């Protein structure tokens, strides 16, 4: 269980709070707007109404005690930047800040953010890749070159075993698991038969996977 300070309770912040709660983490939620704070009360351990650009207010929260600080302010870049840099100055262990533009991401990283999340860009990329192919069900980018894809098997894979297809050698991608009837099986062997009623989790370079799916 981690103790998390979550600042900014718009839609993004609220969804983050709900998921952290589901994962049983301890969340202190902060927003300048009382209504927004009230709205997340069912999902968080503690909450405070306050301005996160106010150093005294932030200091009173005991920043160094949190395992993780998330700055989920999106549009007000000035507040987001000031909050990020104050958190670091006050001894925050890890600060993750939300960026709304490329230039924001750069400045946040230079001014105290250990990492940035960029929901619009990340989700836009996912949407384009997921829905531009009939074969791709899900996609997790690992870095600029590599990703994990959940795919429908190409037609020429059906009724063949993983060993016979020689997927790793032929396509330069690794089969990590197979999902049938909603259940994920991670024990793939050369004898595993592709029947056509599954989705397959593959790990590899984007262009190798796209080549194999003829995208
Ligand atoms: P979302 O896109 O997540 O729905 P939003 O567009 O409603 O958010 P943003 O400007 O991104 O609003 O801000 C997110 C939240 O951060 C808001 O609830 C806002 O009140 C809060 N916020 C902004 N500045 C501060 C601040 N200095 N201190 C505390 N909370 C702040």
């Amino acid at each position: 269980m981690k103790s998390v300070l979550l600042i900014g309770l718009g839609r993004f912040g609220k969804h983050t709070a709900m998921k952290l709660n589901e994962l049983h983490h301890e969340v202190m939620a902060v927003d300048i707007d009382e209504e927004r704070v009230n709205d997340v009360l069912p999902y968080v351990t503690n909450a405070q109404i306050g301005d996160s650009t106010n150093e005294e207010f932030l200091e009173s929260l005991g920043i160094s005690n949190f395992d993780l600080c998330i700055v989920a302010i999106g549009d007000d870049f000035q507040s987001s930047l000031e909050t990020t840099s104050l958190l670091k100055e006050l001894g925050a262990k890890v600060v993750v800040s939300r960026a709304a533009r490329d230039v924001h991401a750069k400045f946040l990283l230079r001014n105290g953010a250990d990492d940035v999340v960029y929901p619009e860009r990340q989700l836009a990329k996912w949407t384009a890749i997921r829905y531009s192919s009939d074969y791709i069900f899900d996609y997790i980018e690992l870095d600029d070159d590599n990703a994990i894809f959940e795919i429908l098997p190409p037609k020429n894979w059906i009724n063949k075993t993983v060993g016979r297809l020689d997927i790793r050698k032929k396509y330069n991608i690794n089969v990590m698991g197979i999902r049938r009837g909603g259940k994920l099986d991670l024990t793939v062997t050369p004898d595993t038969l592709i029947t056509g009623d599954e989705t397959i989790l593959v790990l590899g370079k984007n262009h190798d996977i796209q080549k194999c799916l003829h995208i």
Side-chain angles (χ1 to χ4, degrees):
M1 187 187 66
K2 290 208 176 190
S3 80
V4 182
L5 173 63
L6 175 63
I7 299 173
L9 306 170
R11 285 159 301 171
F12 179 78
K14 186 178 172 186
H15 283 291
T16 307
M18 288 162 79
K19 192 66 193 175
L20 286 167
N21 176 52
E22 203 181 303
L23 296 168
H24 307 293
H25 295 296
E26 203 170 75
V27 179
M28 157 72 90
V30 169
D31 201 290
I32 204 164
D33 180 331
E34 183 177 355
E35 223 175 275
R36 297 220 160 160
V37 171
N38 287 335
D39 213 30
V40 298
L41 286 180
Y43 313 108
V44 299
T45 326
N46 284 299
Q48 291 261 347
I49 303 159
D51 180 352
S52 60
T53 62
N54 178 322
E55 186 167 355
E56 272 171 36
F57 168 68
L58 268 196
E59 203 168 7
S60 73
L61 301 174
I63 298 304
S64 59
N65 296 322
F66 294 100
D67 299 311
L68 168 66
C69 300
I70 300 175
V71 183
I73 302 169
D75 293 336
D76 184 350
F77 180 55
Q78 176 103 8
S79 288
S80 158
L81 193 63
E82 278 180 41
T83 303
T84 299
S85 98
L86 272 177
L87 284 169
K88 214 57 193 180
E89 274 172 44
L90 292 169
K93 288 178 190 142
V94 180
V95 182
V96 176
S97 302
R98 172 187 174 189
R101 292 170 189 212
D102 284 326
V103 66
H104 293 180
K106 218 184 278 175
F107 276 100
L108 289 164
L109 286 167
R110 276 194 205 144
N111 287 282
D114 294 287
D115 207 353
V116 290
V117 283
Y118 192 162
E120 281 84 359
R121 189 178 65 176
Q122 285 161 344
L123 201 60
K125 205 167 168 182
W126 184 89
T127 304
I129 290 174
R130 160 69 180 88
Y131 290 103
S132 62
S133 160
D134 295 335
Y135 285 97
I136 296 172
F137 270 59
D138 204 354
Y139 158 80
I140 300 167
E141 187 174 88
L142 302 176
D143 59 26
D144 283 346
D145 293 330
N146 300 285
I148 296 170
F149 284 81
E150 184 165 355
I151 59 167
L152 273 177
K155 288 194 179 73
N156 58 338
W157 288 16
I158 293 170
N159 292 327
K160 291 183 187 136
T161 62
V162 169
R164 185 168 160 215
L165 286 164
D166 209 6
I167 295 169
R168 188 177 296 146
K169 235 188 188 162
K170 217 160 149 191
Y171 302 99
N172 203 23
I173 60 182
N174 289 290
V175 175
M176 300 168 66
I178 280 183
R179 195 193 301 275
R180 268 196 198 99
K183 265 202 171 157
L184 188 61
D185 177 7
L186 295 173
T187 55
V188 175
T189 69
D191 296 330
T192 302
L193 182 69
I194 311 282
T195 60
D197 64 354
E198 66 278 271
T199 54
I200 306 176
L201 246 71
V202 293
L203 164 69
K205 296 208 175 298
N206 287 318
H207 66 86
D208 287 329
I209 294 169
Q210 294 186 352
K211 206 161 86 188
C212 127
L213 295 175
H214 308 295
I215 299 168

